Amino acid sequence: MIRPSRNYPIFQADLFSAIAIHFAQFMNEVADEPSHGLFLGAALVSHVTGQGHICLDLRSVENRAFYDPLGNVLCWCPPLPRWRKELMASGVVGPPGQFAPLILDKQDRLYLYRYWEYEDTLARNLLHRSRGAVVVPDPGALGKVLLRYFPSQGSEAMDWQAFAAFVSVTKGICVISGGPGTGKTTTVCKILGLALELSESANLRIALAAPTGKAAARLQEAVKEQRGGLPTNDEIKKRIPIKASTIHRLLGPRSGTPYFIHNRENPLPIDLVVVDEASMVDLPLMAKLFEALHPNARVILLGDKDQLASVEAGAVLGDICSDWTVNTFSKDMKNAYETVMGGPILTLTHGSEVPGIQDCVVHLQKNYRFDEHSGIGTLARAVNRGDAGEVLDILRSHQWDDVQWQPLPSPGLLANALARPVIEGYGPFLRSTDPLEQFHRFEAFRVLCAIRQGPYGILNLNRLVERILWKEGLILPGRGIYPGLPILVTKNDYELGIFNGDVGIVTEAAKGEVRLRVTFRSPDGALRSYHPSRLPEHETAYAMSIHKSQGSEFDEVLVILPDMDVPILTRELVYTAITRARKRVTIWCTEETLDRAISRRIQRSSGLREALS
């Protein structure tokens, strides 16, 4: 422990990461005026950045104990005036815009310089695209095209998909949020057709991207499936791209570095980019993407604002889709849309006189998959409202066939409880020998959990699943790697084109041979195989974390929550787990754990939301 002083009575050095302590010591070594306040601020900002925050909000922690996620006291924070004075006197802390290791803004948010720069870069790009005037060259012509693509817009109910399309062709950025089944990819496919029809250029350059290979594959499949049904001519349909890539692949990674080939000096040669699963994109990657775009390139972000934030630092989609920006628009935007539609729209309200980011955020409300008769939809809406009592009532009622709940089995009974769902869920997949069919059947069922360690963690659940499958004769005994083993990649390999989140299946090289390969399915449906020794870091994927399941959907999911409350259990985590299921969700948990999870929300410190206001 660092020796405490009268002003800083507690500092548990052993509870900080080694990098946080080394960084704090280094800041004091190079400072003009070293101090306990500087050491504490540097250690804490390094610590909270590792937990997903963009900055340390000094006002929220001043003059009180600072706890880690497990409830341990890390340190005692000083009063704000003294803390601010020591930081600014150090010579290594500067105001926004100054090049210094640490940045302290007027709202007393302390940043590592690179994270302040990422946030500032993204905010400037978002404001540039959102504050431009609403440009409608020919309202009558646009109205006719919108009516052709969205014939229901003439009804009394507001067609938010049509409005999203209007935003996408009149503003530099359009953010479309909505839960599973609200038609985000259907809307964006129509937007692409509409954009191509309205473009003055015959060579509108469009890129489709997503944060993971799995999400890119789903986007590609959706666009490929839906473009044929668009109300436009075959030439336009053919020009809609169906190839999607990861954002990393789109930007062109420089091997061994955090930099990309495409940046401000070498922008991407595209006019319109669509990014699906935007909630999974962290702040650094989103900032680099926007920096790599031409100032006039249009951006469409798709995502679910209620889903989990990115694993890395930031909650970009959540910051953009704040309460004051969702479906509240400026007077100019409202008037422009009503002019195009040929009359007033009572359900379209305005809350601002000045154009801004609120004009570019559309939340889709109608669900085409989970209606009022869907247990999954009803449960997801209750979770989003934070109504733990209603959630438990839904689970106890057994009213819906697509929602099931049972009390969490004890660790000793867990294997017996898992046997039936595991054999029924993974049996068809493991009995198949055709690789394409295997990938299809593997999407039918998945075990999802919240934590990594312990009896209800990923590692133990994968061991139990393998033991069950071995006893059933579905996998070979005594081998670490075997035909049918599903693996989840956990680290990017740019040379192989395999990325974090990609799923592979172990297959035999040829019939009758014992040589094994790991096969991956590309976004275009093609299969690629590699020797197991060439793979980047990976793990068994029968059971996977809810975080890793983002961007995926399965026919049925079994969600297993731990037997004790841990900080990672949040409303967003439960919502994300439930909405991975297309047909049925089964939840194993205690009522107490579920109640606490739904009562807890993800709170990440950031200045982005305020910068956009």
Side-chain angles (χ1 to χ4, degrees):
M1 179 191 291
I2 301 297
R3 179 176 296 176
S5 69
R6 179 173 57 84
N7 292 332
Y8 299 87
I10 299 174
F11 187 90
Q12 299 284 356
D14 57 331
L15 296 180
F16 284 83
S17 67
I19 193 169
I21 296 299
H22 287 312
F23 177 68
Q25 291 172 338
F26 178 68
M27 287 296 96
N28 257 343
E29 288 172 5
V30 300
D32 296 335
E33 293 189 24
S35 65
H36 281 280
L38 174 61
F39 185 95
L40 182 64
L44 280 176
V45 73
S46 177
H47 173 77
V48 299
T49 301
Q51 293 184 323
H53 300 278
I54 299 304
C55 57
L56 173 67
D57 185 349
L58 301 186
R59 296 180 185 179
S60 69
V61 300
E62 62 134 348
N63 212 25
R64 69 172 182 83
F66 189 100
Y67 296 88
D68 72 3
L70 298 178
N72 302 306
V73 177
L74 288 175
C75 59
W76 188 274
C77 299
L80 185 58
R82 183 172 77 239
W83 203 358
R84 186 192 303 117
K85 182 179 178 180
E86 290 185 4
L87 289 170
M88 296 309 296
S90 67
V92 296
V93 180
Q98 180 177 319
F99 186 73
L102 295 166
I103 300 295
L104 183 64
D105 70 10
K106 293 181 180 179
Q107 289 72 38
D108 296 306
R109 290 183 290 248
L110 185 66
Y111 294 81
L112 297 172
Y113 176 82
R114 69 180 183 278
Y115 282 95
W116 172 83
E117 186 176 38
Y118 288 141
E119 185 178 276
D120 181 66
T121 295
L122 182 58
R124 284 188 289 101
N125 273 282
L126 291 171
L127 291 174
H128 164 75
R129 286 176 166 80
S130 64
R131 286 182 172 172
V134 183
V135 179
V136 187
D138 189 339
L142 178 56
K144 290 178 181 178
V145 177
L146 282 172
L147 185 60
R148 174 157 40 91
Y149 277 86
F150 302 94
S152 65
Q153 66 180 320
S155 63
E156 293 183 2
M158 176 68 178
D159 189 334
W160 289 109
Q161 291 187 2
F163 186 75
F166 173 78
V167 172
S168 72
V169 298
T170 58
K171 302 290 284 187
I173 181 171
C174 179
V175 182
I176 304 174
S177 174
T182 53
K184 296 187 295 295
T185 51
T186 299
T187 302
V188 83
C189 194
K190 292 182 178 181
I191 287 173
L192 295 178
L194 190 148
L196 287 166
E197 286 196 41
L198 297 176
S199 175
E200 297 179 357
S201 170
N203 297 306
L204 187 70
R205 299 167 297 180
I206 301 173
L208 308 178
T212 67
K214 180 65 179 177
R218 287 187 59 234
L219 174 61
Q220 183 166 301
E221 289 168 2
V223 173
K224 183 179 180 179
E225 177 183 341
Q226 295 170 16
R227 70 174 182 172
L230 294 179
T232 187
N233 60 60
D234 290 340
E235 180 60 30
I236 293 294
K237 294 176 184 177
K238 290 178 182 178
R239 289 171 57 193
I240 295 176
I242 58 171
K243 185 176 181 180
S245 72
T246 64
I247 299 172
H248 285 82
R249 190 180 292 131
L250 178 67
L251 293 175
R254 295 184 184 276
S255 183
T257 78
Y259 305 110
F260 294 97
I261 294 170
H262 292 289
N263 49 42
R264 187 188 308 175
E265 288 72 35
N266 181 32
L268 286 160
I270 57 178
D271 305 303
L272 171 63
V273 61
V274 174
V275 179
D276 197 9
E277 297 292 349
S279 65
M280 298 170 63
V281 185
D282 58 67
L283 174 68
L285 184 58
M286 191 72 85
K288 291 172 182 177
L289 172 63
F290 273 82
E291 276 289 86
L293 295 172
H294 188 277
N296 294 329
R298 283 182 284 162
V299 182
I300 300 174
L301 302 180
L302 305 176
D304 186 346
K305 67 182 181 63
D306 298 313
Q307 211 173 264
L308 282 166
S310 58
V311 176
E312 303 299 330
V316 174
L317 188 68
D319 284 339
I320 295 174
C321 299
S322 58
D323 292 340
W324 70 273
T325 65
V326 173
N327 293 353
T328 58
F329 309 95
S330 71
K331 187 175 182 180
D332 286 349
M333 176 60 79
K334 182 177 187 293
N335 290 342
Y337 189 60
E338 290 180 337
T339 299
V340 167
M341 296 305 300
I345 300 174
L346 298 179
T347 52
L348 187 63
T349 59
H350 77 273
S352 170
E353 297 297 322
V354 181
I357 193 68
Q358 75 277 6
D359 286 338
C360 306
V361 179
V362 183
H363 182 60
L364 303 182
Q365 300 176 23
K366 183 177 180 180
N367 201 302
Y368 299 89
R369 184 190 306 168
F370 304 132
D371 59 19
E372 64 272 13
H373 304 297
S374 163
I376 295 175
T378 303
L379 184 62
R381 289 189 290 271
V383 170
N384 264 344
R385 288 192 294 270
D387 192 334
E390 183 183 358
V391 168
L392 290 171
D393 287 343
I394 292 169
L395 294 176
R396 294 192 199 105
S397 71
H398 303 291
Q399 181 179 348
W400 288 275
D401 293 335
D402 58 344
V403 171
Q404 297 184 357
W405 170 75
Q406 75 172 51
L408 186 69
S410 67
L413 297 176
L414 189 56
N416 288 335
L418 277 171
R420 181 176 177 179
V422 162
I423 293 169
E424 291 180 353
Y426 291 130
F429 150 66
L430 289 167
R431 293 187 185 99
S432 174
T433 56
D434 177 73
L436 278 174
E437 185 180 2
Q438 283 183 315
F439 276 102
H440 175 71
R441 291 189 173 186
F442 190 55
E443 302 304 304
F445 175 76
R446 200 62 48 91
V447 178
L448 302 180
C449 44
I451 58 177
R452 187 166 185 82
Q453 304 292 338
Y456 305 101
I458 300 167
L459 299 179
N460 186 57
L461 286 171
N462 272 310
R463 283 193 291 266
L464 291 178
V465 169
E466 286 192 304
R467 190 180 305 164
I468 292 166
L469 297 175
W470 169 67
K471 288 184 178 179
E472 189 68 14
L474 292 169
I475 63 175
L476 296 175
R479 295 176 61 176
I481 185 168
Y482 50 84
L485 173 68
I487 64 107
L488 178 72
V489 174
T490 58
K491 186 176 182 180
N492 294 334
D493 187 318
Y494 297 112
E495 292 183 3
L496 293 182
I498 299 174
F499 299 94
N500 184 10
D502 287 353
V503 172
I505 296 173
V506 176
T507 57
E508 291 186 87
K511 188 174 182 180
E513 296 183 14
V514 295
R515 291 188 299 113
L516 299 177
R517 308 281 287 178
V518 182
T519 300
F520 293 85
R521 184 174 56 179
S522 300
D524 61 3
L527 298 178
R528 299 172 294 149
S529 296
Y530 304 94
H531 191 276
S533 64
R534 297 187 63 196
L535 295 185
E537 295 176 14
H538 58 277
E539 59 190 24
T540 304
Y542 294 113
M544 63 190 301
S545 73
I546 297 168
H547 276 88
K548 290 286 188 182
S549 74
Q550 290 186 92
S552 299
E553 290 180 352
F554 313 99
D555 289 343
E556 181 177 352
V557 297
L558 169 59
V559 181
I560 302 177
L561 301 182
D563 57 348
M564 64 180 68
D565 184 41
V566 290
I568 197 174
L569 295 177
T570 62
R571 185 183 310 174
E572 292 84 356
L573 187 93
V574 176
Y575 170 81
T576 300
I578 291 168
T579 55
R580 296 312 89 203
R582 287 185 287 252
K583 297 180 180 179
R584 178 186 291 178
V585 59
T586 302
I587 303 174
W588 294 359
C589 66
T590 67
E591 293 186 7
E592 295 77 14
T593 298
L594 186 62
D595 180 89
R596 292 186 180 183
I598 293 168
S599 302
R600 182 185 293 121
R601 300 211 66 174
I602 293 175
Q603 300 289 340
R604 287 191 169 178
S605 296
S606 161
L608 181 60
R609 184 171 302 195
E610 185 174 322
L612 297 176
S613 62

